Amino acid sequence: MDPHVLLQDLVVIPGPPGAEGLVARYLSDRVSDLGLRSEIDAKGNVLVRIGSGRPKVVVTAHMDEIAMIVRQVTDDGRLLVTSLGGLYPWKIGEGPVEIMAGDGFLPGILSFGSIHTDDPSSTVQKAREKGLTWDLAHVFTGMSRTELVSSGVRPGSRVVVSRSRRMLSYLGDFVAGHFLDDRADLVSWLLVLEAFVKKNVDVVFAATSAEEVGGEGALFLLHEFVPEVCIALELGASVPDAPINLSSAPTVWVKDSYSTMSSADGELLSSIGKKLGVPLQFQALSRGGSDASCAASHGLCARPITLGLPMENSHGCEIMHRDAPAVLANVTIELLSRLLENR
């Protein structure tokens, strides 16, 4: 599997929390290409079971992306929206969006109003005074309220960044685009899965739903397995209080908002980094969570391990090293091998 082809394929597919079906279908097809069987549970997670025994380890990467959700359809056919996951309006700006309605998509433009005014009642003046927030945003549709409602648009409909804005940009050693979190990690997930196709081990690979809204997919599925270890493949955000290099070397979350990794697992990863010649980057994050840490905080795994792809501009037009998914896969393969062999 070509990581760069997989990444572009995955980034272009819309998959907001609670509506990840298109991403799940793509992943199921890639799993089938590997000669494996996948299943989709009631929460929409894609599960691939290796072996027939109770798994000691579950490996996750999440399918969903940050998005918008309709909160009101106005009489003049505009949609009032708010965030679904940690999306900020200034991270994406005005531009094309798509409204998920029924089995299809309707076009729209995320809008904030015109700037040529000092009128205190204007959206733009309010944004100048207090910053750009979702209450100042709307989606222009060019349709009437009746047309929208008859097309299936209602409060709860998902609104996503248009596929016209989902092409990757390559800049030397780096690649940029929306939703590298967590589509780039799904690339790593598939590469790790490929390495374990013929191994005689008991492990579950899970592409999870609704991670951006509290790790819901992982919490649902881990009730069944309650594994000793959950390995979550994530981003490694470049932030001032936990600085990293924007390189191909994965980050290791030693703590986040939900949980803390054990010191023994830190030592294990240090030894793996030395063996592979990969300078792992350990991070203590002041904000954030992963499938693993959310699960640990609910008692659904004993040992949370979160490995990240170093990224700039998290939850925006994200930038990472083009080799990072392959390196993350190699580190995860070695980690998983050691955990399953009890070394």
Side-chain angles (χ1 to χ4, degrees), residues 82-229:
T82 191
S83 64
L84 190 59
L87 181 62
Y88 293 90
W90 46 268
K91 275 287 189 177
I92 54 173
E94 290 179 329
V97 296
E98 295 182 68
I99 305 115
M100 300 179 78
D103 294 328
F105 295 84
L106 298 173
I109 301 292
L110 182 63
S111 304
F112 306 117
S114 300
I115 67 169
H116 295 82
T117 181
D118 290 327
D119 190 311
S121 67
S122 70
T123 295
V124 68
Q125 186 60 23
K126 292 176 182 177
R128 290 185 187 122
E129 294 172 354
K130 71 172 187 177
L132 188 57
T133 53
W134 283 111
D135 61 304
L136 303 178
H138 68 272
V139 173
F140 182 89
T141 67
M143 299 173 69
S144 69
R145 185 180 190 281
T146 300
E147 290 172 323
L148 288 167
V149 171
S150 65
S151 297
V153 179
R154 52 169 176 72
S157 294
R158 272 57 170 172
V159 180
V160 298
V161 171
S162 171
R163 280 166 285 191
S164 66
R165 300 179 66 187
R166 290 170 177 259
M167 297 306 295
L168 298 173
S169 298
Y170 284 90
L171 310 95
D173 290 336
F174 301 94
V175 59
H178 291 287
F179 316 121
L180 301 185
D181 168 23
D182 210 31
R183 305 300 166 74
D185 294 279
L186 286 171
V187 173
S188 301
W189 184 87
L190 284 167
L191 295 175
V192 177
L193 178 59
E194 183 178 33
F196 279 82
V197 168
K198 296 183 179 180
K199 291 188 180 291
N200 184 25
V201 294
D202 294 316
V203 60
V204 169
F205 288 79
T208 57
S209 65
E211 187 276 343
E212 295 287 4
V213 290
E216 291 181 3
L219 294 179
F220 178 83
L221 74 92
L222 290 179
H223 272 98
E224 176 182 353
F225 302 112
V226 194
E228 181 178 331
V229 183

